[in-house]
Amino acid sequence: MAAEYARERHIAELAVHRASILTKKVLSSVSGISKADASPVTVADFAAQAILISALTKAFPGDTFVGEEDSAALRSDAALRDRVYELASGAHLESKEDEALLASPESVDEMLDLIDLGGRGQGGRTGRFWVMDPVDGTATFLRGEQYAVSLALIEDGREVVGVLGCPNLKPVDGILAETTVDKEGLGLMLTAVRGQGATIRTMNFSGLEEARPLEGLDKASSLSDARIVDCSSSKTSRHDLIAKLAATFGAVYPNTEVWSSHIRYAALAVGGGDFQLRVPSAPDVRMWIWDHAGAQLVLTEAGGKVTDLDGKTIDFGAGRDLNQNRGLLAARGDIHATVQETLAKIMAEDDASRQA
């Protein structure tokens, strides 16, 4: 008897593999347009979202989608639209048997409508929907550094399948770095199914190598040796408080600096990291569902723990943003409580000093 979600996992892995091939092939020839958060969004972003949703609608026609992009920019720019369609319609796996399980947009109009299924999707607490970030880390993608193709199945508000394609990921001696990339190959794929553990496998342009169990997280000998995963150039988190936390532990900070949200989770799962924090810099700072869904499941199935700063489970049924949660703490399971308690004291002291 097949394991639960076996078909969903298989299709998701093939879809992410195909999107990873597409993004890696166009890496050197991407053109960008501006985005609300001032980071570039690329033709690869649109094309990858189109082929992810195309594959999933064929396999699971009753499911819905949440994606970062909608097609507005393409509908107003014929040259960009044609380039994206050229990429999306021409993306295929080398294995004809695997490719037959997927689908690609057969017209420009179909491509635009597929993209909008994600861009206009709202998610929710009941039923099934797929969340995707077709190119997470577009700024570093354009520099040839780390980025991810992420896909997650949410059922009744919980992650049940997560697949993370990391086409440039190449840890050296178990340590992930932004600029240490797989220049010749296609990096790594991390997969998890709720209650079934997590796996890691090498991606090649010709196919996927055999999956291996992702067994346990490497442990620092003490919190003074902890590798803190962060992106200190981000303006949405209180890095000053994270620095105070690091000083309390006697840990080096900054340490592992990564731009892509999903690659930060990968840094915890396979790249030697111990914990990451998001301490909102303002009340209106949002965390978007596509920046976290899937990668969180990989980490928790590998032995990590993820909550918000109040210890609450992340609510993936809240909609397009994670508005029911305040901040984020993702860590090895054995240190999560200590990090949370220590940060809470630092934040309380900070609040008191601001009110004085």
Side-chain angles (χ1 to χ4, degrees):
M1 182 177 177
E4 190 175 17
Y5 301 111
R7 183 164 178 260
E8 286 86 346
R9 171 185 180 148
H10 184 53
I11 296 297
E13 288 182 326
L14 293 180
V16 168
H17 182 217
R18 187 173 65 168
S20 296
I21 293 171
L22 181 153
T23 57
K24 192 72 177 267
K25 284 186 174 180
V26 302
L27 188 56
S28 62
S29 58
V30 161
S31 60
I33 58 175
S34 66
K35 199 176 189 179
D37 64 0
S39 66
V41 63
T42 66
V43 291
D45 225 340
F46 289 114
Q49 181 160 315
I51 64 172
L52 286 169
I53 296 177
S54 183
L56 295 168
T57 53
K58 175 181 178 178
F60 310 107
D63 291 352
T64 59
F65 307 93
V66 174
E68 185 173 5
E69 312 300 343
D70 66 27
S71 70
L74 300 183
R75 293 181 187 274
S76 62
D77 187 330
L80 181 63
R81 180 172 65 241
D82 291 346
R83 175 61 177 145
V84 171
Y85 180 66
E86 179 185 358
L87 290 171
S89 60
H92 302 291
L93 294 175
E94 189 170 299
S95 166
K96 293 183 179 180
E97 181 180 355
D98 288 341
E99 181 64 28
L101 297 174
L102 308 181
S104 299
E106 297 182 355
S107 69
V108 170
D109 286 341
E110 181 187 358
M111 178 190 74
L112 297 175
D113 290 342
L114 287 168
I115 292 171
D116 283 337
L117 287 177
R120 297 173 183 174
Q122 297 301 314
R125 301 196 182 283
T126 59
R128 291 168 38 127
F129 64 93
W130 295 86
V131 182
M132 66 203 66
D133 196 337
V135 178
D136 178 55
T138 49
T140 43
F141 170 78
L142 289 173
R143 296 200 298 265
E145 297 172 348
Q146 301 299 340
Y147 73 98
V149 178
S150 70
L151 184 61
L153 175 60
I154 310 297
E155 187 170 70
D156 296 334
R158 300 194 313 164
E159 301 165 292
V160 293
V161 177
V163 180
L164 194 61
C166 309
N168 279 345
L169 193 59
K170 188 178 182 179
V172 175
D173 296 327
I175 302 299
L176 180 155
E178 190 77 85
T179 56
T180 303
V181 302
D182 186 349
K183 295 182 179 179
E184 305 301 326
L186 198 59
L188 300 172
M189 175 180 285
L190 308 176
T191 302
V193 177
R194 180 171 291 276
Q196 298 178 31
T199 61
I200 182 172
R201 61 169 68 189
T202 299
M203 294 192 293
N204 298 312
F205 288 99
S206 59
L208 295 170
E209 294 189 8
E210 186 175 351
R212 313 181 301 278
L214 189 56
E215 297 177 342
L217 304 178
D218 292 335
K219 297 182 179 181
S221 57
S222 70
L223 281 170
S224 63
D225 297 320
R227 288 183 174 272
I228 303 171
V229 180
D230 197 15
C231 178
S232 58
S233 61
S234 168
K235 300 184 184 304
T236 59
S237 188
R238 290 285 305 276
H239 305 291
D240 58 325
L241 298 185
I242 300 173
K244 287 183 180 180
L245 177 72
T248 301
F249 293 149
V252 174
Y253 179 82
N255 195 309
T256 301
E257 289 283 297
V258 182
W259 176 261
S260 160
S261 295
H262 285 284
I263 296 296
R264 286 179 227 164
Y265 286 102
L268 299 175
V270 300
D274 292 288
F275 67 88
Q276 69 153 316
L277 282 159
R278 293 199 178 193
V279 184
S281 56
D284 60 349
V285 168
R286 292 184 177 185
M287 296 192 302
W288 300 103
I289 188 172
W290 49 78
D291 286 331
H292 302 274
Q296 279 196 18
L297 185 63
V298 169
L299 181 62
T300 55
E301 287 292 321
K305 183 175 181 179
V306 184
T307 68
D308 67 9
L309 300 181
D310 302 311
K312 294 166 52 181
T313 300
I314 303 302
D315 183 356
F316 287 106
R320 291 176 67 84
D321 63 13
L322 304 176
N323 57 67
Q324 297 301 300
N325 295 102
R326 182 175 70 108
L328 177 84
L329 168 58
R332 293 193 339 248
D334 62 315
I335 65 171
H336 185 282
T338 300
V339 175
Q340 182 186 350
E341 292 167 6
T342 307
L343 179 65
K345 293 177 182 177
I346 292 172
M347 293 179 68
E349 292 170 357
D350 182 71
D351 288 342
S353 67
R354 287 170 176 267
Q355 294 171 8

